[in-house]
Amino acid sequence: MRRYQAFENLSQHKAQLRERVRLGSGIELAAWTNKHDTITQCCDHHTLSLYVADGYETYHKTPYGWRNGGAPDRFCLMPQQCESTWDVRSDLSFVHLYCTDEHLKAIALQIWDKAPAELNLDEQTFGEDPRITALYRHCLLACDWQQDANQLLLSTSATLLLTHLIQHYSQVRWQLPTVRGGLAPVVQRRVQAYIEANLDGPLTLAELAAQAQLSEYHFARMFKQSTGLAPHQFVMLRRLEKARELLRHSPLPLTEIALACGFASPSHFSNRFRASTGVSPSTWRRQA
């Protein structure tokens, strides 16, 4: 397993790790807090950081002195081999996404069917980008990273973030290709059959795209055209529909139903079920 230098460096300073997850592709997410710390980063990988809370007294060292500009929803992009020094003088909560050049090139190859010889990202400090904020806030930070049922959403969101970096913060700046038409009926049936057979475990965008023999980008868009839902939305819908079927027609306890539908704990199952139906699984079962 790859060890990301930015993560290891923070671990040796005053930063406190709140949560961490390694996605199937090797991309890693980490949620941190820090204060009263000075740290220099220079890594063999890329780091995309979003300030979640506070950060007003975070300073970046420039040739002209320390520059302040931190605040919630500001982002920093630290490309590989780019040295940066930070002085965190008060509370800061932030989330890092760690990836390599190979990850970026793989996504470029999947989407555009070509990969540049070099893919240089532009350093960004205290930037503002509504797309990055939305993907972090509404997708990555809105779910429990440790739940298998959320792996599809996490992997999809990470892919969208890296695609956005390639488009807007690299020298490439390719336009996204147009995807017309949905999945062929036989392909859609094969993908949905695979989903049904694997609802009890984690599902990733890469797995589903492989069933269709498409890149993740093309698969996600063609799947949505065919079903009206993004892959992660469709899978969560099927998990909850299966749960309702088991609640209505089987005597299984809630813990076993949760596991059979891909939820790692009864509490996670109950929270998602309540958000969908307005009542707890046990209440729904009594009413049904």
Side-chain angles (χ1 to χ4, degrees):
M1 180 183 293
R2 181 189 178 91
R3 299 172 68 89
Y4 285 100
Q5 293 176 348
F7 181 95
E8 299 298 330
N9 196 12
L10 282 170
S11 299
Q12 295 168 15
H13 283 72
K14 296 180 180 179
Q16 298 295 309
L17 180 66
R18 296 305 182 196
E19 196 168 10
R20 177 187 189 185
V21 64
R22 174 77 60 123
L23 304 181
S25 60
I27 294 169
E28 189 167 309
L29 298 167
W32 300 90
T33 59
N34 201 4
K35 63 179 178 180
H36 307 316
D37 198 7
T38 301
I39 185 168
T40 297
Q41 296 280 26
C42 185
C43 306
D44 62 353
H45 59 82
H46 309 294
T47 302
L48 176 62
S49 173
L50 182 81
Y51 286 17
V52 177
D54 302 310
Y56 301 103
E57 290 299 310
T58 299
Y59 290 78
H60 176 242
K61 188 175 183 179
T62 75
Y64 312 101
W66 293 97
R67 177 194 169 204
N68 168 271
D73 294 335
R74 299 287 172 85
F75 81 95
C76 301
L77 176 57
M78 293 165 274
Q80 65 180 13
Q81 308 306 339
C82 181
E83 182 174 306
S84 57
T85 299
W86 308 85
D87 188 3
V88 184
R89 303 178 187 178
S90 188
D91 292 329
L92 170 63
S93 297
F94 57 102
V95 178
H96 275 175
L97 181 150
Y98 307 119
C99 70
T100 65
D101 231 29
E102 289 70 28
H103 289 129
L104 290 173
K105 289 179 179 178
I107 287 175
L109 186 61
Q110 289 177 3
I111 296 176
W112 290 279
D113 198 26
K114 57 182 177 179
E118 293 186 356
L119 194 53
N120 300 313
L121 294 180
D122 304 325
E123 183 180 12
Q124 302 289 322
T125 305
F126 305 133
E128 296 183 80
D129 188 318
R131 178 64 169 164
I132 292 175
T133 298
L135 286 169
Y136 266 113
R137 291 280 185 185
H138 303 317
C139 298
L140 297 180
L141 296 177
C143 67
D144 184 343
W145 291 357
Q146 307 310 318
Q147 296 291 338
D148 286 347
N150 292 329
Q151 293 307 298
L152 181 56
L153 175 58
L154 292 173
S155 61
T156 300
S157 303
T159 296
L160 290 174
L161 274 170
L162 298 195
T163 302
H164 187 73
L165 295 185
I166 294 170
Q167 277 193 279
H168 299 281
Y169 299 101
S170 78
Q171 86 283 8
V172 176
R173 299 183 186 271
W174 292 330
Q175 294 298 311
L176 287 175
T178 301
V179 176
R180 295 184 176 88
L183 299 172
V186 65
V187 174
Q188 184 176 337
R189 287 194 297 270
R190 182 165 68 244
V191 171
Q192 291 180 347
Y194 183 85
I195 291 171
E196 293 299 320
N198 293 278
L199 282 176
D200 60 343
L203 285 165
T204 67
L205 189 61
E207 285 181 76
L208 300 184
Q211 293 299 310
Q213 297 182 328
L214 292 168
S215 72
E216 294 177 25
Y217 171 82
H218 288 84
F219 168 75
R221 280 146 185 79
M222 293 170 73
F223 185 91
K224 187 170 184 178
Q225 288 194 25
S226 296
T227 66
L229 296 171
H232 71 271
Q233 294 172 324
F234 181 90
V235 169
M236 184 55 68
L237 179 66
R238 285 301 306 135
R239 292 189 196 280
L240 293 171
E241 287 176 347
K242 181 178 179 180
R244 287 194 291 271
E245 293 168 8
L246 292 174
L247 287 169
R248 184 189 296 272
H249 299 297
S250 82
L252 291 174
L254 296 184
T255 298
E256 291 187 33
I257 291 177
L259 294 175
C261 298
F263 299 99
S265 68
S267 61
H268 183 226
F269 168 49
S270 182
N271 290 338
R272 294 309 297 255
F273 194 91
R274 187 187 295 274
S276 173
T277 65
V279 296
S280 68
S282 56
T283 300
W284 193 93
R285 171 177 259 173
R286 288 196 301 271
Q287 293 174 347

